[in-house]
Amino acid sequence: MTMAVHHISLPANFRRQDVLAFHGRDPHALAERVTASRLDKGLVWQGAPALLSLSFEEGGVDATLDVDVDVDEGAAQPRFEAMVQRMLGLDQDVDGFEQTHRHHPELGPVLARQSGLRVPVTATPFEALSWAITGQQISVQAAVAIRRRMIEACGIRHRSGSLCHPQAAQLLALGEVALRAAGFTASKARTLLAVSEAVQGGALPLDDGLGGGLGSERRDGPSGIAAQLLAIKGIGPWTVSYALMRGFGWLDGSLHGDVAVRRALGALLARDPGSSDTPWQPLTVTPQAAEAWLAPLSPWRALAAAHLWASLSVSA
C-alpha cells in the first residue's frame, strides 16, 4: 500500500542539497538513490520493506511511502507525516538560532553564509544510532562501506529492487559473525547487537514520542535516552550526542569530541575577521576548548557543530 503527503511547503531558505547529500553518501546507491531533486530510500516500516520517496520542487516537497504489505493507514499516516517533517528538519528552530547568534564574533559570518542550514535526520532513531556506532573513530568513507555491506548482508529488499536499512530485529538475526564479515570490529559488533537487543526487547524504546517530537511520551526526554545509551558498553558521549541529533533532530548535544568540529573551529578561530587576505594557520583546538566554545551556544550546540562541518567545504 502507498501513503502520500502532497506538497509540504518548505521555508524560502530551505537547503534541499543538504538533505540529498546526507542520504547520497554511498555512491553504490543500494538503499538510497539520489538525484538533483529526488530521494528514494529503502527502510523497514512496521517490520516490512518500504520505499520512501521525496520529490522536491520549487517551494515544497511531495512524499510517498510504498509498503510491501497492507498497514492500518489511519494509524500509520500521522507517524509517516511526522517522520517526513523530522527528516527534513522542519521542526528545528534554525531561525531562532540564527537570530540569537547573528552577531557572534566568529560564528555570525558563518551563519550568514549558511543561512537556513538544518540537520538532516535519519528515517528512524535506530538507523542514526547504528550509523553513529559504525562511524566511531573511522573515516566517513570507511563507515559508508561497512554500512553498505551490513545492508547487503541483511538482504531486505523492497519490491522496487531497493535494499532497505535494517531495524533491530534484522540485525539480531544477522549476528556477530556476519557483522564482523561486513567490517565491524568485534567491539562494535557487540555494541550494535547489545543496542539491538535492548530496542527489540523494549528496554530501549527509541521510537517513543516520534509522533510528536522527542520525548513527548517520555518524561525524561533526551537525558533519559542518553543515560540508557551511556550504560551500554561501547557507547560514549560523542555517540550519544550524534545519535540524538541524527535520530531525533535534538540540537543541544555537545560534539566537542568530534575531530572535524575541532578542525573547523581551529580554522575559524585562526582567521582575521577584518581581512580575507591575511595569511593564517589553523589553530589546534582541544576537546576541552571546543566544549567551552560550544557551551554558550546551548540549546543549539549540535546545530553549531553542523555549521562547523559545513564550513569546512565552504572554506576549501
Side-chain angles (χ1 to χ4, degrees):
M1 68 161 293
T2 301
M3 292 178 285
V5 183
H6 296 295
H7 198 77
I8 301 170
S9 294
L10 298 175
N13 64 353
F14 185 83
R15 294 159 53 105
R16 72 181 183 190
Q17 71 273 19
D18 294 340
V19 175
L20 295 171
F22 175 68
H23 292 285
R25 291 160 292 170
D26 189 348
H28 291 249
L30 299 182
E32 294 96 1
R33 295 190 298 273
V34 170
T35 69
S37 61
R38 184 180 177 92
L39 164 66
D40 292 307
K41 175 178 174 62
L43 53 92
V44 174
W45 181 271
Q46 297 182 7
L51 185 72
L52 169 69
S53 297
L54 299 178
S55 182
F56 292 91
E57 55 188 26
E58 190 67 31
V61 60
D62 290 336
T64 61
L65 184 69
D66 182 58
V67 189
D68 274 357
V69 300
D70 289 334
V71 298
D72 181 351
E73 187 172 357
Q77 185 72 25
R79 201 170 187 88
F80 166 54
E81 294 179 10
M83 179 184 74
V84 173
Q85 293 276 336
R86 190 174 63 254
M87 289 179 69
L88 297 176
L90 296 179
D91 53 356
Q92 297 175 16
D93 184 20
V94 299
D95 291 337
F97 173 59
E98 292 178 15
Q99 286 298 314
T100 300
H101 295 291
R102 67 185 186 277
H103 297 307
H104 189 286
E106 295 97 23
L107 192 60
V110 177
L111 299 181
R113 289 196 302 269
Q114 299 173 173
S115 179
L117 185 146
R118 290 167 167 77
V119 174
V121 173
T122 55
T124 68
F126 182 79
E127 180 183 351
L129 184 52
S130 63
W131 171 241
I133 293 168
T134 304
Q136 291 171 342
Q137 298 181 327
I138 61 175
S139 69
V140 173
Q141 293 80 4
V144 166
I146 294 171
R147 176 183 185 267
R148 180 195 315 131
R149 292 193 291 268
M150 175 193 73
I151 291 172
E152 286 182 299
C154 286
I156 309 161
R157 193 175 296 275
H158 182 260
R159 59 191 169 198
S160 66
S162 176
L163 286 174
C164 302
H165 191 284
Q167 289 295 90
Q170 291 81 31
L171 283 185
L172 284 173
L174 194 62
E176 183 178 343
V177 172
L179 287 173
R180 292 293 309 278
F184 287 90
T185 62
S187 59
K188 284 187 182 182
R190 290 167 191 158
T191 298
L192 192 52
L193 291 173
V195 167
S196 299
E197 186 173 357
V199 170
Q200 188 66 12
L204 183 61
L206 289 178
D207 291 345
D208 280 6
L210 288 185
L214 176 58
S216 67
E217 297 170 25
R218 292 181 61 114
R219 293 181 181 178
D220 53 5
S223 62
I225 297 174
Q228 285 185 278
L229 291 174
L230 287 170
I232 298 173
K233 185 178 181 180
I235 293 183
W238 178 89
T239 302
V240 170
S241 291
Y242 187 89
L244 292 179
M245 177 190 69
R246 286 291 188 205
F248 296 96
W250 186 56
L251 299 181
D252 199 29
S254 182
L255 290 159
H256 56 276
D258 187 271
V259 173
V261 166
R262 299 204 311 272
R263 186 169 74 250
L265 183 55
L268 187 64
L269 296 176
R271 289 189 183 281
D272 178 356
S275 173
S276 60
D277 299 323
T278 302
W280 59 276
Q281 290 293 326
L283 302 176
T284 298
V285 178
T286 65
Q288 294 78 12
E291 184 177 20
W293 189 88
L294 288 166
L297 301 174
S298 181
W300 296 289
R301 289 175 295 173
L303 184 55
H307 274 278
L308 290 172
W309 284 327
S311 74
L312 289 173
S313 60
V314 171
S315 299

